[in-house]
Amino acid sequence: FADDQRRYASAIAEDSGLQTDALSVLERSDRYGWSYTWSWLGVPVIQMPEDIVTMQQIVWETQPEVVIETGVARGGSVLLYASILEMVGEGKVVGIDIDIRPHNRDSIEQHPLANRVTLIEGSSIDPVVVARVGEESAGCERVMVVLDSNHSHDHVLAELRAYGPMVTVGQFLVVADTVVEQLPKQTHRPRPWGPGDNPATALDCYLREVDWFEQDEFHNGRLLLTSSPGGYLRRVR
């Protein structure tokens, strides 16, 4: 069955027509805020359903001792990782956001999984914040990183340079919203980033700087309705 799964993923990745159709669905659905309509264990999770399922699969398979995520938003994603780690029986999530609003903090800190979450308020590229995150993961053999905050090229590249080295061999680095490079510049929900200035361009730059990571063929290949095409990387050295 595992061999079949990989064969299917490869076929999906090679079907350019299917990829084009999926991108069209993403572009159209975004106008209705589709990614904002989901929740995880009662807390909003601003992610595509395929990415949610993929993240739970990765966390379950790799069982990181620490999941570091930049960009907490409403909190559903940190609780997603925490819920899988709770089932594993160990591990914690470190969530970083420049602005953790009181109602979002409350929904996380009052949740039954709060004991597995540490929140840090501040810019993810502030050296003081980076140092604190380093302390939270110091000595851990399995460290995973998810970058999902400010999506501009310069910010994501700075995050990659700061947090990429924290990922341990065999674990994942996930760069969210690489799809921005493939979509027309948003007019219905203006953002300071867009084609040519986004996580995908930052990732391309970073991968020219280091040889520690490989884009995971299986996870990237099978995804269609994803916000992070090519954004799932495993540290291999």
Side-chain angles (χ1 to χ4, degrees):
F1 187 77
D3 290 341
D4 285 343
Q5 286 182 314
R6 295 192 173 277
R7 179 167 54 82
Y8 297 149
S10 295
I12 289 169
E14 293 171 1
D15 189 330
S16 59
L18 181 58
Q19 298 291 334
T20 298
D21 289 344
L23 190 62
S24 176
V25 171
L26 282 176
E27 179 184 352
R28 292 158 56 197
S29 67
D30 187 60
R31 297 181 179 275
Y32 301 98
W34 187 49
S35 64
Y36 289 79
T37 65
W38 311 97
S39 63
W40 187 264
L41 299 180
V43 178
V45 53
I46 307 173
Q47 302 289 348
M48 300 295 181
E50 285 192 19
D51 292 312
I52 293 171
V53 174
T54 297
M55 292 301 290
Q56 68 79 27
Q57 186 170 343
I58 288 172
V59 174
W60 180 259
E61 289 178 351
T62 61
Q63 301 191 2
E65 295 170 81
V66 181
V67 179
I68 299 165
E69 180 173 61
T70 66
V72 171
R74 297 298 298 270
S77 57
V78 295
L79 293 173
L80 165 65
Y81 316 142
S83 67
I84 307 304
L85 294 177
E86 180 73 10
M87 295 181 69
V88 170
E90 67 171 334
K92 65 180 179 180
V93 183
V94 179
I96 308 123
D97 203 298
I98 197 167
D99 180 20
I100 304 176
R101 298 176 184 178
H103 62 283
N104 293 334
R105 182 182 289 275
D106 287 346
S107 66
I108 297 169
E109 293 183 343
Q110 295 177 15
H111 197 275
L113 293 166
N115 64 304
R116 293 204 178 270
V117 178
T118 297
L119 296 176
I120 300 175
E121 188 167 29
S123 170
S124 58
I125 59 174
D126 182 331
V128 174
V129 171
V130 174
R132 183 176 171 192
V133 175
E135 292 172 358
E136 292 284 347
S137 59
C140 294
E141 296 181 354
R142 302 184 306 281
V143 179
M144 174 179 173
V145 168
V146 184
L147 303 179
D148 192 12
S149 60
N150 181 310
H151 297 312
S152 68
H153 174 99
D154 289 344
H155 186 90
V156 177
L157 183 56
E159 286 185 327
L160 285 163
R161 290 168 174 166
Y163 297 100
M166 296 185 191
V167 180
T168 55
V169 174
Q171 291 290 314
F172 274 77
L173 167 66
V174 180
V175 182
D177 282 86
T178 51
V179 75
V180 174
E181 178 67 7
Q182 301 177 18
L183 296 173
K185 188 172 180 62
Q186 291 181 325
T187 56
H188 61 286
R189 193 174 64 236
R191 293 288 190 270
W193 45 80
D197 177 10
N198 56 71
T201 59
L203 180 57
D204 286 344
C205 183
Y206 184 66
L207 291 178
R208 290 194 295 270
E209 296 178 357
V210 303
D211 64 353
W212 312 331
F213 295 99
E214 289 183 357
Q215 290 169 305
D216 189 272
E217 291 185 1
F218 174 64
H219 289 299
N220 288 302
R222 65 186 175 148
L223 292 175
L224 291 169
L225 303 181
T226 176
S227 65
S228 309
Y232 293 86
L233 299 96
R234 190 190 298 266
R235 184 160 184 174
V236 294
R237 60 181 64 85

